[in-house]
Structure formats: structure tokens, C-alpha cells
Amino acid sequence: MDEARLQKFVDQVVLDMGAAFGAATVVLGDRLGLWKAMAGAGPIGAGELARRTGTNERLIAEWLAAQAAAGYVSYDDGAYTLTDEQATVFADDSSPVFMTGIAEMISSVYRDEDKLVEAYRGNGGLAWGDHDRALFDGTERFFRPGYTANLSTSWIPALEGIQDRLDDGAQVVDVGCGHGASTVALARAYPNSYFTGFDAHGESIMQARERAAEAGLADRVSFETAYADDYPGTGYDLACLFDCLHDMGDPAGALRHIRSTLAPDGTVLLVEPFAYGRLPDDLNPVGRLFFNGSATICVPGALSQNGPEALGSQAGPERLFEVAARAGFTRMRKATATPFNLVLELKP
């Protein structure tokens, strides 16, 4: 045994386990309002932060030290500061790099540990709706800032002819819409178009309806409970799938139905987690995040549907194009990408 190599590996695991604990304290800080209380406050001590948030000073002192050890807050001479950069990540839920939502998603995996053990020892299935609620809320909070930042500025303009159609007035379907963050972002950006969101999870659809009402968009946005392979309607100018195709047990079947609901010159906007689709290229920090999510959320969800294949979140463009081709699409291309997203265009 190489002792130096062993020590290096132990050091790595210690770092990773500290990060795992850290995800829990990130969520604590969010729920207690600590991040927002520190944002813009300058240097602050445990006593003052506890007074501002109505929390226990002794516990706040330990929480602050934990965040400083992680580099999540800055420490100097007995006081702690949440810098502008740190606040953008932890306190600003409109920021495109807001990360508290992913910590909330991770917390759901720990709460679902017994269910996952059963799935791994059984048929592999754990349906989306059977997860802890933290998954649904965390997913919305993690993905919403990226949709808001990118949809009208980058992703839609990258599609052939779609921006003009949305400006003029188009019929849009958002398949697997969840809490409706993507649907609402699109409706705000394109006030002449009409949007329908479908999701198989009834609780999420109820939440999506609330989101549309809160945004004053209920006259142009509707949400219904339906599966990707049987939702109603035809003649859609644009069909969107945001980070959901890989969660489906029959992705080709879903795309086949989606294709049948498009207008003859319609387009599919397919957004999936960024991946190259091959090892070892995806063995990197982003791949690590997505593979872990895939092993605990995405693949168990697909397997729960008893479909023919489970893509996993790291399918990559070539595999996704192959699935789309089986569904009958003949024109496919990568429109654009971000460090976290593949943005693909599919046409009949």
C-alpha cells in the first residue's frame, strides 16, 4: 500500500464529508433567514446575527464557524462577512448562480434513504412523487434562476425562427413543467403567446397554478396533470422539455407523442443537464453532481415507470439525438449550451 496515496485519498474524503455536512447547514441558514440577514450587512458577530434572526446565539456561533471553514463566509478578527459574491450564491434566489436550491434537493435524498435502499435491492424504482417534498421545492429554486436568466436572452434566440413566432403570438406546451418556473418565465418574456404546462405530479401542478396566479398570468398560462406521452392538444408551435426527458421511462415514446402534437413547422426545445455522454469525459465536478442526482433521483424515477430505458442525467447529445430519431425527428442540432445545460433543437 502506498501510504502517501492513502493519505491523499483520506484527505479528499474528509473534504467531501465536510461538504456533505455543509449542504445541511446551508439549508439551515436558508430556513432561518441567516444568509439574507448577512447579505449587505458587513462584518457581523454571532450575537448580532442571532438577534436579527431570533435564533440561539451559541448555535449561530458554531454555524458561522462552519461556514467560514468552508469558505462560504469570510472571517476576520471575530466578525463574519458575507461578501457580494457569496451572497449571490446563497442569499439571492434570483441569481443565475443561486445554489441553495441544490442543497435543498440534496437534503431530500437523505430523507429518502430508506426508500432508496429498498429501490436498490428491488426493481430500482422510486417515483418522483414518492420523494420528500424538499426535492420538489429545491428543484424549482435551483432551476428557476437559470431559466429566467437564459430563456429569452440565449436559448430562445438560438432556435430557428422561434423568437419571432413567440413575439407575434404562439401556442406553447411545457412538458414536465413541475412547479411551472420555466412556463412562467416564458410567459413573462413573451406576452403575446399562450402557454400550457403538463406534469404527471398533481401536487406540482397545483403549485404551478399558484405561481401563475401570483404572477398575474392566469389568462395566458394554464396547467394540467398529464403524462408526456398522452397530454392533449395539437398545433403547438413550440414544445419545451426542461431537465425532464431523462426522468422518463420511455423517452422515445414521449418524444413521439410530443412530435404528434406539434404544428407541421413546430419545434422542440429540449434542455438537458450538460454532459458529453461518455466516460471518462464526464468524470468532472459537474458530472459528479449530476451522476449523484441521477443515481438517487433520475434513474430510480425512470425505472419506476417500467419503461424500456432509463437514460440517466448524463446521456449526452449523441444519445439524445438517437432517441429523438427513433421518435421520428429528422432535424436535430445543439443550439447552445451552458456549464450546466445542453440546449437542443428538434424538428419533425
Side-chain angles (χ1 to χ4, degrees), residues 87-162:
T88 298
V89 172
F90 292 122
D92 182 3
D93 54 12
S94 66
S95 162
V97 291
F98 181 66
M99 290 291 177
T100 308
I102 191 69
E104 190 172 3
M105 291 174 66
I106 292 167
S107 74
S108 76
V109 173
Y110 285 98
R111 297 175 194 182
D112 292 331
E113 183 179 316
D114 288 345
K115 295 177 182 178
L116 285 163
V117 169
E118 184 178 347
Y120 269 72
R121 288 176 173 165
N123 67 1
L126 178 57
W128 176 266
D130 291 336
H131 282 275
D132 186 89
R133 180 183 174 85
L135 175 60
F136 318 139
D137 295 337
T139 297
E140 177 188 8
R141 297 182 73 201
F142 177 57
F143 286 104
R144 180 180 59 213
Y147 297 155
T148 302
N150 290 299
L151 266 169
S152 63
T153 61
S154 174
W155 297 351
I156 293 297
L159 304 179
E160 183 183 339
I162 292 299

Side-chain angles (χ1 to χ4, degrees), residues 18-339:
F21 263 123
T25 58
V26 165
V27 173
L28 272 178
D30 180 59
R31 293 187 62 180
L32 295 170
L34 305 179
W35 298 113
K36 290 187 182 298
M38 292 187 73
I44 190 170
E48 179 61 24
L49 182 58
R51 284 189 289 274
R52 292 187 184 188
T53 56
T55 51
N56 182 283
E57 181 178 345
R58 180 63 189 88
L59 291 177
I60 292 300
E62 214 71 4
W63 182 88
L64 283 167
Q67 306 318 308
Y72 291 174
V73 303
S74 300
Y75 174 78
D76 183 54
D77 195 24
Y80 300 85
T81 303
L82 190 69
T83 67
D84 291 342
E85 295 79 11
Q86 292 161 344
T88 298
V89 172
F90 292 122
D92 182 3
D93 54 12
S94 66
S95 162
V97 291
F98 181 66
M99 290 291 177
T100 308
I102 191 69
E104 190 172 3
M105 291 174 66
I106 292 167
S107 74
S108 76
V109 173
Y110 285 98
R111 297 175 194 182
D112 292 331
E113 183 179 316
D114 288 345
K115 295 177 182 178
L116 285 163
V117 169
E118 184 178 347
Y120 269 72
R121 288 176 173 165
N123 67 1
L126 178 57
W128 176 266
D130 291 336
H131 282 275
D132 186 89
R133 180 183 174 85
L135 175 60
F136 318 139
D137 295 337
T139 297
E140 177 188 8
R141 297 182 73 201
F142 177 57
F143 286 104
R144 180 180 59 213
Y147 297 155
T148 302
N150 290 299
L151 266 169
S152 63
T153 61
S154 174
W155 297 351
I156 293 297
L159 304 179
E160 183 183 339
I162 292 299
Q163 180 153 305
D164 289 343
R165 293 173 74 170
L166 289 169
D167 287 336
D168 292 341
Q171 294 291 334
V172 181
V173 60
D174 189 356
V175 183
C177 63
H179 284 188
S182 50
T183 327
V184 168
L186 281 166
R188 280 176 167 155
Y190 300 101
N192 295 325
S193 293
Y194 292 83
F195 302 83
T196 305
F198 293 108
D199 198 282
H201 187 225
E203 183 181 331
S204 289
I205 287 296
M206 293 174 61
Q207 193 69 61
R209 289 170 179 163
E210 291 185 17
R211 295 286 189 268
E214 291 167 359
L217 298 170
D219 59 329
R220 294 190 296 111
V221 178
S222 63
F223 294 98
E224 301 294 337
T225 303
Y227 288 92
D229 59 0
D230 68 357
Y231 67 83
T234 56
Y236 293 110
D237 299 291
L238 176 66
C240 302
L241 295 92
F242 295 101
D243 298 290
C244 65
L245 184 70
H246 64 271
D247 295 309
M248 299 177 189
D250 185 6
L255 285 177
R256 194 174 298 114
H257 176 73
I258 291 166
R259 182 178 180 274
S260 74
T261 69
L262 288 176
D265 56 351
T267 296
V268 169
L269 168 59
L270 176 61
V271 178
E272 283 284 297
F274 184 89
Y276 298 101
R278 57 186 179 270
L279 300 178
D281 295 345
D282 287 320
L283 301 181
N284 54 58
V286 172
R288 180 188 186 187
L289 179 69
F290 287 141
F291 272 126
N292 276 292
S294 195
T296 55
I297 300 167
C298 309
V299 171
L303 292 176
S304 74
Q305 300 166 43
N306 299 314
E309 61 185 318
L311 287 174
S313 68
Q314 297 289 272
E318 292 181 9
R319 179 86 182 276
L320 293 167
F321 288 150
E322 185 271 327
V323 171
R326 280 192 276 130
F329 288 92
T330 60
R331 289 178 290 164
M332 301 161 283
R333 69 181 181 94
K334 183 172 81 172
T336 187
T338 76

